[in-house]
Amino acid sequence: MAPQTVLCIGMAGSGKTTFMQRLNSHLHSKKQVPYVINLDPAVLKIPFGANIDIRDSIKYKKVMENYNLGPNGAIVTSLNLFSTKIDQVIQIVEKKSSQYEKVIVDTPGQIECFIWSASGAIITEAFASSFPTVIAYIVDTPRNTSPTTFMSNMLYACSILYKTKLPMIIVFNKTDVTKADFAKEWMTDFESFQAALREQEANETDGSGYMNSLVNSMSLMLEEFYSQLDIVGVSSFTGEGFDEFLDAVDNKVTEYNEYYMAERERILKEKAEKEKKRKEKSLNSMMKDMGLDEAKKDEVDVISDTESIEEGENDGLVLRDEDEGIEADREYTFPEDRQSGEINDRSSEALQQRYQDAYEQTAKSASSQTAENIARYINQTQ
């Protein structure tokens, strides 16, 4: 059975790494040891043991020095280098699939470096194609009590959902500081969000009416988006809510198997058909460049003339005379003593004498030739 894969994605400061630590320890306490992967090349220390760590194969500071890059550019380049070996990572995880039920993956805090880069898409696609994969989007709850900030975060989550096309769980972290009840209410009750937005507009003397109108319109648009999500409030500090999170993961894995897998298979089939059409177009262009018209295409594609011969016609194989009912009248021209093709007591002495005569004739000829060469050499040197 393929292990469940959880990709932990979140903005810098959302408590994503601490969430990974708590999730890891919580699974250990339930005797469900996870397979842990760290994909953040810039982190100095991680508070959990990683089975696969990008820092073991790629040195972040060396990448900065060698390629003259800044922090974000070095992260993207490190992910690019790591993505070239992602097939080996998948093979390792597959070999360990009988020992682990879950794979949890920590990603860089610079969220755009992972989500919007080509390497991030390759890594995500590799996991999603091999295992039931779920996105856990970590949100800093205390910093999202403002309706406008909350809406900005939800728009980012919406873009990630449609970029990855994978089941998503919105994880409101740090509930020990601020409860996530207000966020759950805003996502399920449109009128409560409208009331919070009006209250904010009344308290802000320098607020923009256009901004509030925009947020109001976007909240209506995101109602359908909210219906596709599971919402969980957790505290990485106290461990509260992690049982609920694991239930949400199981729910999303079922959703992945029922809907997302079929969608992904459809997308892969479309890609294969597009690739087939591209190859056919390339072949037609090549034939055109070579001066071959469409009428000669069949002639070019035929490997052997025997393939186009209809049944019952001569297929290029010649039957023996006996098979065609013809009596063969063959006449041999070998001497009578050689027609049998064998050496017997009667012929062995004569054969031996012929060998001896031929040998003596050859030796005599060679000796005569050698004598002539020596005489010629002596005459030239005198």
Side-chain angles (χ1 to χ4, degrees):
M1 182 177 179
Q4 301 173 355
T5 302
V6 180
L7 293 176
C8 297
I9 298 173
M11 295 186 181
S14 62
K16 177 172 52 59
T17 302
T18 311
F19 172 83
M20 279 281 298
Q21 177 196 18
R22 176 59 68 174
L23 178 60
N24 182 36
S25 61
H26 187 76
L27 288 171
H28 273 83
S29 66
K30 296 175 70 68
K31 307 300 181 183
Q32 300 177 8
V33 180
Y35 197 81
V36 184
I37 300 175
N38 174 47
L39 295 182
D40 190 351
V43 65
L44 294 178
K45 294 181 180 180
I46 52 177
F48 50 83
N51 299 92
I52 297 177
D53 196 334
I54 189 175
R55 299 176 301 167
D56 293 338
S57 56
I58 297 171
K59 305 303 178 184
Y60 172 71
K61 290 186 178 180
K62 287 293 183 182
V63 172
M64 292 181 68
E65 294 173 3
N66 294 340
Y67 297 96
N68 297 321
L69 297 172
N72 286 357
I75 291 175
V76 173
T77 304
S78 298
L79 289 171
N80 290 342
L81 295 172
F82 187 79
S83 65
T84 60
K85 303 295 183 182
I86 190 61
D87 58 327
Q88 298 180 17
V89 174
I90 297 299
Q91 289 176 6
I92 293 173
V93 177
E94 286 177 342
K95 290 179 180 178
K96 302 288 185 179
S97 60
S98 60
Q99 305 175 26
Y100 301 94
E101 295 182 6
K102 287 183 173 58
V103 178
I104 55 177
V105 184
D106 192 14
T107 59
Q110 289 74 9
I111 192 171
E112 67 282 356
C113 295
F114 183 79
I115 290 298
W116 303 111
S117 65
S119 55
I122 291 171
I123 293 171
T124 303
E125 187 76 20
F127 278 106
S129 300
S130 305
F131 316 110
T133 305
V134 177
I135 300 292
Y137 183 67
I138 316 299
V139 178
D140 187 349
T141 308
R143 294 184 179 274
N144 282 268
T145 55
S146 168
T148 52
T149 306
F150 174 82
M151 182 56 58
S152 299
N153 220 321
M154 291 302 101
L155 285 174
Y156 215 120
C158 180
S159 64
I160 293 172
L161 175 67
Y162 288 104
K163 178 68 169 62
T164 60
K165 295 182 175 63
L166 290 171
M168 177 181 285
I169 304 171
I170 301 293
V171 181
F172 288 98
N173 196 14
K174 305 181 183 180
T175 55
D176 56 296
V177 178
T178 303
K179 294 294 182 182
D181 297 339
F182 73 94
K184 294 179 180 180
E185 185 179 2
W186 287 353
M187 296 176 72
T188 55
D189 187 356
F190 171 73
E191 293 182 355
S192 64
F193 181 80
Q194 295 291 313
L197 189 62
R198 286 193 297 269
E199 182 180 354
Q200 176 182 284
E201 184 178 4
N203 294 334
E204 292 180 355
T205 56
D206 57 346
S208 171
Y210 168 75
M211 177 60 69
N212 291 332
S213 176
L214 178 62
V215 172
N216 188 18
S217 301
M218 288 189 297
S219 63
L220 287 171
M221 180 195 68
L222 290 178
E223 277 191 316
E224 180 64 24
F225 166 66
Y226 293 152
S227 65
Q228 305 297 322
L229 303 176
D230 279 21
I231 309 164
V232 180
V234 302
S235 171
S236 299
F237 181 71
T238 63
E240 178 187 0
F242 276 85
D243 285 329
E244 185 181 354
F245 171 76
L246 293 177
D247 292 339
V249 171
D250 293 336
N251 180 41
K252 286 301 179 183
V253 166
T254 302
E255 184 178 320
Y256 172 91
N257 293 328
E258 291 180 357
Y259 303 105
Y260 284 82
M261 183 179 290
E263 178 66 12
R264 297 185 71 80
E265 289 177 353
R266 184 188 65 81
I267 292 173
L268 292 175
K269 185 177 179 181
E270 286 183 357
K271 286 183 178 180
E273 291 177 354
K274 288 181 180 179
E275 181 65 15
K276 182 179 179 181
K277 290 180 180 179
R278 186 193 66 79
K279 288 182 178 179
E280 290 179 354
K281 184 178 180 181
S282 177
L283 176 62
N284 293 334
S285 299
M286 182 183 68
M287 291 179 62
K288 186 177 181 180
D289 294 340
M290 294 174 63
L292 300 174
D293 56 15
E294 190 68 22
K296 295 182 179 180
K297 182 177 179 181
D298 294 336
E299 298 179 8
V300 175
D301 289 340
V302 173
I303 297 175
S304 171
D305 291 340
T306 60
E307 293 182 359
S308 59
I309 296 176
E310 296 182 0
E311 185 178 0
E313 294 185 4
N314 183 5
D315 58 358
L317 299 178
V318 179
L319 299 177
R320 295 183 305 169
D321 292 343
E322 290 82 352
D323 295 335
E324 294 184 347
I326 301 174
E327 293 185 2
D329 184 15
R330 298 184 178 88
E331 188 174 312
Y332 294 97
T333 58
F334 297 112
E336 293 183 2
D337 61 339
R338 298 180 60 189
Q339 286 186 15
S340 63
E342 64 178 358
I343 299 175
N344 49 38
D345 295 338
R346 292 179 301 169
S347 62
S348 60
E349 293 181 1
L351 181 63
Q352 183 65 28
Q353 184 61 42
R354 287 198 297 271
Y355 285 161
Q356 184 66 29
D357 294 342
Y359 172 74
E360 291 177 356
Q361 182 66 28
T362 302
K364 183 178 179 181
S365 176
S367 176
S368 176
Q369 184 67 34
T370 302
E372 291 179 2
N373 292 338
I374 293 174
R376 188 182 299 109
Y377 175 74
I378 293 173
N379 293 333
Q380 291 175 355
T381 54
Q382 287 180 350

